[in-house]
Amino acid sequence: MSLYLITGIGGFIGSSIARSLLERGQQVRGVDNFSTGKRENISEIVDRIDFREADILNLDAMHQACNGVDFVFHEAAIPSVPKSVKDPLGSNQANIDGTVNVLVAARDAKVKRVVYAASSSAYGDTPTLPKHEEMKPDPISPYAVAKLASEHYMTSFYRCYGLETVSLRYFNIFGPRQDPSSPYSGVLAKFITSMLRGEQPTIFGDGEQSRDFTYIDNAVAANLLACEAPKDQVAGQVFNIATGRRLSLNETLQLLRELTGYSGQPKYGAERKGDIKHSLADISRAEAALGYKPSVHFEEGLRRTVGWYREQS
Ligand code: UD2
């Protein structure tokens, strides 16, 4: 049995990793300051984990959290493109300074490996599709810059201190428990919950922008594989985690009309600043090095997600 630390355990992705580890009989410790995470995401598991309310910007708390830990999943972040455009300093602190704190604490505690929640936003709007890891990054938003900087810190800590790190570039992860309630929430959580309420969803731009939407179970599986993969294949490296297929928002909305029963039309608004047009991943590197294969395809993930939000409402 290993001890895993999850930063951002109250978040949608962190709490999903925690549940999966508990199902496998592993020991879980988690930290969250609930700036974006939610207590209800861990309410049903809180008595089976070692939970500490703490901010990743508190280095002492991170040192204590890393004590005795085998693996760290660093999921804590302020995860939003538009929020970072509005508040670049806040994004920089949480998404870069916070990462360096976690890395210093993990290095000092001699953690075996740190797996990091990187972002597809690092690629920016370069026209080449699909995006593969050898491409030169071209981040647009402060959020994308911060996520890319933290990837570089991951690699730097492997090179300078020998701390094994793996960066997983998530492509628009979605699924149950993703927070729909903030103006900065992920588009699918917002669309699904408003359509289930019979309310009109808003598309920013013409709706022809596309994403490689990735169901949460695929991301969780990738994280577990990233801990198990041999060091010489993964340490200090970056991997796309996605499905290798993209859909436009207009196409997605059509699928959601069938799944939610919402028959109205969307409202079209102004394009969002810092947004990118198309996103699609080449996942061959993750397949080869991690043995990653997306097991839940988009439509099935969407069906499960709509089912979950419907149960909640
Ligand atoms: C970026 C990253 C993603 C993850 C995420 C964290 C890319 C391609 N993806 O997601 O991997 O790191 O940041 O937040 O950079 N939209 C609407 N209506 C709404 C809400 C959003 O039309 O009510 C549009 C939005 O303008 C964008 C698309 O939906 O074109 C997706 O937006 P998002 O906020 O769900 O995710 P995105 O792509 O910024």
Side-chain angles (χ1 to χ4, degrees):
M1 202 196 293
S2 297
L3 175 59
Y4 293 79
L5 170 68
I6 304 172
T7 69
I9 197 168
F12 147 62
I13 299 178
S15 62
S16 302
I17 296 173
R19 268 187 298 279
S20 182
L21 288 171
L22 290 174
E23 277 163 23
R24 288 168 171 74
Q26 303 292 349
Q27 276 185 291
V28 177
R29 182 178 293 162
V31 295
D32 207 296
N33 68 350
F34 298 116
S35 68
T36 55
K38 297 262 175 295
R39 285 178 201 280
E40 56 262 36
N41 283 343
I42 51 170
S43 56
E44 93 226 18
I45 57 167
V46 78
D47 52 355
R48 288 184 283 148
I49 62 176
D50 171 5
F51 174 69
R52 298 153 185 218
E53 189 164 343
D55 193 323
I56 54 171
L57 290 170
N58 179 341
L59 182 58
D60 282 348
M62 289 309 105
H63 269 125
Q64 285 167 32
C66 283
N67 193 20
V69 162
D70 296 293
F71 299 98
V72 175
F73 294 112
H74 179 36
E75 310 300 307
I78 299 186
S80 163
V81 168
K83 198 168 184 181
S84 77
V85 172
K86 203 164 166 221
D87 178 19
L89 280 173
S91 171
N92 194 87
Q93 278 168 1
N95 299 333
I96 301 182
D97 297 349
T99 297
V100 182
N101 273 349
V102 171
L103 280 170
V104 166
R107 177 202 64 187
D108 294 349
K110 301 198 172 10
V111 159
K112 288 181 188 147
R113 195 171 282 181
V114 178
V115 181
Y116 172 58
S119 168
S120 64
S121 57
Y123 291 109
D125 231 354
T126 47
T128 314
L129 291 176
K131 310 290 187 195
H132 56 83
E133 295 86 344
E134 289 78 24
M135 284 169 62
K136 187 171 169 283
D138 187 20
I140 297 173
S141 63
Y143 166 76
V145 171
K147 281 278 160 180
L148 179 62
S150 280
E151 271 183 23
H152 288 310
Y153 270 115
M154 289 287 149
T155 305
S156 166
F157 269 63
Y158 176 56
R159 289 186 177 153
C160 296
Y161 310 110
L163 173 64
E164 292 180 25
T165 59
V166 185
S167 292
L168 303 180
R169 272 188 193 160
Y170 295 158
F171 279 66
N172 291 74
I173 313 299
F174 74 99
R177 294 183 182 79
Q178 190 167 27
D179 176 20
S181 64
S182 138
Y184 305 116
S185 297
V187 67
L188 294 184
K190 284 176 78 181
F191 278 6
I192 294 170
T193 48
S194 57
M195 290 167 85
L196 283 175
R197 284 195 300 262
E199 291 166 8
Q200 192 178 31
T202 302
I203 290 185
F204 301 138
D206 62 6
E208 286 308 300
Q209 66 265 53
S210 60
R211 294 291 184 269
D212 191 337
F213 290 112
T214 305
Y215 188 64
I216 180 68
D217 288 15
N218 301 321
V220 170
N223 276 278
L224 303 185
L225 290 167
C227 291
E228 293 156 10
K231 170 183 164 178
D232 59 347
Q233 289 186 32
V234 299
Q237 295 200 47
V238 175
F239 298 95
N240 288 341
I241 299 303
T243 65
R245 181 174 162 229
R246 73 188 164 104
L247 273 93
S248 71
L249 287 192
N250 288 327
E251 288 168 323
T252 304
L253 214 112
Q254 190 47 41
L255 287 172
L256 283 177
R257 292 171 93 213
E258 287 158 28
L259 288 169
T260 61
Y262 176 82
S263 55
Q265 294 300 324
K267 189 162 58 194
Y268 287 86
E271 233 174 72
R272 220 174 53 175
K273 274 205 193 83
D275 230 11
I276 74 164
K277 191 72 183 175
H278 299 297
S279 179
L280 172 70
D282 177 336
I283 55 173
S284 52
R285 189 193 266 198
E287 283 174 343
L290 304 177
Y292 166 78
K293 242 196 172 13
S295 62
V296 182
H297 62 76
F298 178 64
E299 283 82 356
E300 173 59 17
L302 210 53
R303 201 184 56 73
R304 290 188 198 177
T305 308
V306 171
W308 188 84
Y309 284 113
R310 186 175 267 131
E311 262 174 37
Q312 305 302 303
S313 60

